[in-house]
Amino acid sequence: MDFELKSLSLAQADKLATDALVVLVPDTPALSSEAASALLELTQGVLKQGDLEQGVAKALMCYRPAGVKATRVVLVRAGDGSPSSVRKALLSATALVKTAGLKKMVVFLGLLESETAAIRSVMLACADATYVYTATKPTAKARTLTKVTIGVMDVAAAKGEFNMGQAALSGVEFAKEWANRPGNHATPTMLADAARQLGRKPGIKTEVLGLKEVKALGMGAFMAVAQGSAEPLRFIVMHYTGAAKTSAPVVLVGKGVTFDTGGISIKPAGEMDEMKYDMGGAASVLGTFAALAELKPAINVVGIIPSCENMPDGLAIKPGDVVTSMSGQTIEILNTDAEGRLILCDALTYAARFKPRCVIDIATLTGACVVALGAVRSGLFSANDDLADALAAAGERSQDLCWRMPLDDEYSEGLKSNFADMGNVAGRAGGAITAAKFLQKFTGTLNWAHLDNAGTAWKSGAAKGATGRPVPLLLQFLADQASQTAAAPRKSVSKRKPGTSVAVKATRKSAAR
């Protein structure tokens, strides 16, 4: 989908020949400052007569109104004009017109108090409303909407948000594409090929490790999960270099279980098909790298994806088995369906070799997080307040929301084992937290955060499909980090203690083990 940013007034919009013209109408539209136009008269008349129902996303479509070249004009309520309200408004407006062979659309933002803040929401909502998965469905009709023009009063002020929107859109759609693919069309090998594809973009390099290399590294927990599948494991390492080589990177670790049966602790048959989405964390890392290639922020990023299937064949790990992780810590496998944390723990140990400024893992890790937060917010876990605050702020700004959860030491009690350094589960109570506490045991002095996107990575029911989350959050966080690093005076950075801010020099105590 092609987006264009254009300087536009209502009077100029009168003359645009397009399939649909969407005018966002906030609670207090700035109509008096507009020059006379047919659209202005239409909007004023509709509001005066009360024909546009009150409430965010309420819309009225007019077919070929007098004095306007657009085939259809949609007036849609945008409430307070916030990014959240704008997103709802665009989803509603696009739904009204997309069934009519929509190819070109113009969205006018000039009536909003802050048109710049709305741009990213407009772009992502338009793309989301018209997205069609076609990779394994040849009968599906691909989206017909090919071009969206966003009309604003001040193009120069809006350009930065427009660029962020373009990058986020690329990342979200790349993540959706791979998360939506069935397990037999998104194996670990295929996921590695997707990473190699991204590695051909400027600034990105990709390395893929196989069983031989993983075994040499001592990743016993990762190998244990993979051993029950005929599909070979892949350990994917991606590098985006946007800053000096001496600048410590942000490391993103994505869970890449391309299909999860639960292993010997097999899942119920109902909705097991949705376990193709268990690589939602990996998809978000791939999507973030696709977005980085577009935005090109001045920051270094490493992406790590441990990828395998979790299957129940004769070689599969059994409840009660004990495995040795890359860190040297032993783990009693009490439930083979708690496999994500097993592949992530070795990846977190591996991440330390990059001496990162921070490490963020993303995983569709627990059903408990879905129970706690539903599909609205991803779970956020971190012992570092600065890192947690930065991620939460990035989520708010990108409208890719998360919620900080506790990490009290008492939650680790249930992970104790009589036969290993720890068990891999700690019972049902507080399951999302105890899973995070398990991962924390492998972070050492790393400045670490965990995002559990089990409730936000995909939708079920009639709207079943991947969401691409939390790509917008991660991209915003990385852009913020790049800006903070560029703005920070060198003297102030050198005097700060490691770990006090995610934008300062990372601790050097987290060397690889």
Side-chain angles (χ1 to χ4, degrees):
M1 183 184 296
D2 182 27
F3 282 89
E4 177 190 17
L5 190 63
K6 186 180 181 70
S7 178
L8 198 66
S9 67
L10 280 176
Q12 291 169 327
D14 286 348
K15 303 172 185 178
L16 291 178
T18 184
D19 296 328
L21 171 60
V22 177
V23 180
L24 271 70
V25 183
D27 291 337
T28 53
L31 293 172
S32 59
S33 62
E34 280 283 334
S37 77
L39 278 172
L40 175 62
E41 292 180 10
L42 175 65
T43 305
Q44 288 176 324
V46 164
L47 292 177
K48 183 177 181 180
Q49 295 297 322
D51 291 332
L52 182 57
E53 190 178 347
Q54 291 286 346
V56 175
K58 297 297 184 182
L60 176 68
M61 185 167 72
C62 307
Y63 187 74
R64 296 190 182 278
V68 180
K69 282 194 174 182
T71 306
R72 301 166 188 83
V73 173
V74 179
L75 303 179
V76 58
R77 294 276 188 183
D80 59 2
S82 65
S84 176
S85 296
V86 167
R87 175 177 172 79
K88 293 175 183 175
L90 257 294
L91 289 172
S92 173
T94 307
L96 274 180
V97 295
K98 74 175 184 178
T99 56
L102 180 66
K103 293 182 179 179
K104 294 182 180 180
M105 185 166 75
V106 176
V107 181
F108 181 73
L109 305 182
L111 302 186
L112 301 178
E113 182 177 350
S114 177
E115 58 187 14
T116 298
I119 288 173
R120 213 184 317 178
S121 292
V122 168
M123 298 171 76
L124 290 173
C126 286
D128 193 32
T130 58
Y131 172 82
V132 180
Y133 172 76
T134 60
T136 57
K137 188 177 180 181
T139 58
K141 294 181 180 179
R143 63 157 58 105
T144 59
L145 181 61
T146 57
K147 184 173 182 178
V148 177
T149 299
I150 302 175
V152 296
M153 297 296 187
D154 190 344
V155 169
K159 190 64 177 176
E161 274 298 300
F162 181 78
N163 291 340
M164 278 290 290
Q166 287 274 41
L169 177 60
S170 296
V172 166
E173 298 225 327
F174 197 92
K176 279 184 176 182
E177 174 65 22
W178 281 96
N180 278 329
R181 293 190 179 201
N184 62 328
H185 288 265
T187 64
T189 300
M190 293 174 180
L191 214 60
D193 289 340
R196 288 192 179 100
Q197 174 189 338
L198 290 172
R200 292 195 288 269
K201 293 180 178 291
I204 298 179
K205 292 184 179 179
T206 299
E207 179 185 11
V208 178
L209 308 182
L211 178 59
K212 181 180 177 181
E213 295 87 355
V214 166
K215 187 175 182 179
L217 288 166
M219 294 186 175
F222 177 28
M223 291 189 296
V225 176
Q227 72 190 38
S229 174
E231 289 289 344
L233 62 77
R234 291 291 182 265
F235 192 80
I236 303 163
V237 184
M238 306 177 70
H239 297 264
Y240 166 78
T241 306
K245 291 182 179 180
T246 55
S247 178
V250 172
V251 177
L252 305 178
V253 180
K255 174 186 171 184
V257 178
T258 57
F259 196 83
D260 179 21
T261 67
I264 298 300
S265 307
I266 198 163
K267 294 176 179 290
E271 298 181 349
M272 193 196 286
D273 65 288
E274 295 188 5
M275 287 302 97
K276 69 178 184 178
Y277 294 118
D278 211 19
M279 41 69 73
S284 72
V285 172
L286 292 173
T288 300
F289 270 74
L292 289 171
E294 292 282 337
L295 191 64
K296 299 179 176 63
I299 191 172
N300 294 334
V301 185
V302 176
I304 299 174
I305 299 173
S307 185
C308 64
E309 291 182 335
N310 185 23
M311 299 291 282
D313 84 349
L315 297 176
I317 48 172
K318 308 174 293 297
D321 284 358
V322 173
V323 298
T324 302
S325 67
M326 184 182 177
S327 70
Q329 298 177 90
T330 58
I331 306 163
E332 183 182 10
I333 311 299
L334 298 171
N335 188 324
T336 65
D337 194 23
E339 85 298 332
R341 65 201 72 183
L342 295 175
I343 71 172
L344 288 172
C345 72
D346 281 344
L348 288 170
T349 301
Y350 186 87
R353 66 179 52 206
F354 299 106
K355 300 177 182 177
R357 68 168 68 189
C358 63
V359 176
I360 304 162
D361 76 72
I362 311 100
T364 51
L365 203 63
T366 65
C369 196
V370 184
V371 173
L373 298 176
V376 178
R377 293 178 183 259
S378 300
L380 166 63
F381 301 80
S382 182
N384 184 297
D385 291 341
D386 291 331
L387 179 56
D389 290 346
L391 285 166
E396 292 292 334
R397 183 169 179 186
S398 64
Q399 288 299 296
D400 188 358
L401 305 176
C402 60
W403 189 262
R404 192 176 184 184
M405 303 283 278
L407 274 176
D408 304 76
D409 287 340
E410 287 79 4
Y411 285 108
S412 291
E413 290 297 311
L415 294 171
K416 290 181 177 178
S417 167
N418 291 339
F419 307 105
D421 292 326
M422 70 195 80
N424 74 325
V425 292
R428 291 175 61 86
I433 306 169
T434 56
K437 292 299 292 184
F438 176 92
L439 294 177
Q440 191 178 29
K441 291 177 180 292
F442 299 87
T443 59
T445 58
L446 291 174
N447 185 17
W448 162 80
H450 161 60
L451 287 169
D452 190 332
N453 65 331
T456 57
W458 78 92
K459 298 177 182 178
S460 299
K464 183 185 291 187
T467 64
R469 295 178 63 184
V471 170
L473 183 159
L474 295 171
L475 181 64
Q476 183 66 59
F477 172 80
L478 294 171
D480 291 345
Q481 292 299 294
S483 297
Q484 290 173 26
T485 301
R490 289 193 176 187
K491 288 184 179 180
S492 64
V493 170
S494 62
K495 290 180 180 179
R496 292 187 183 181
K497 294 181 180 180
T500 58
S501 170
V502 295
V504 304
K505 187 177 179 182
T507 176
R508 296 303 185 192
K509 294 181 181 180
S510 54
R513 287 174 283 187

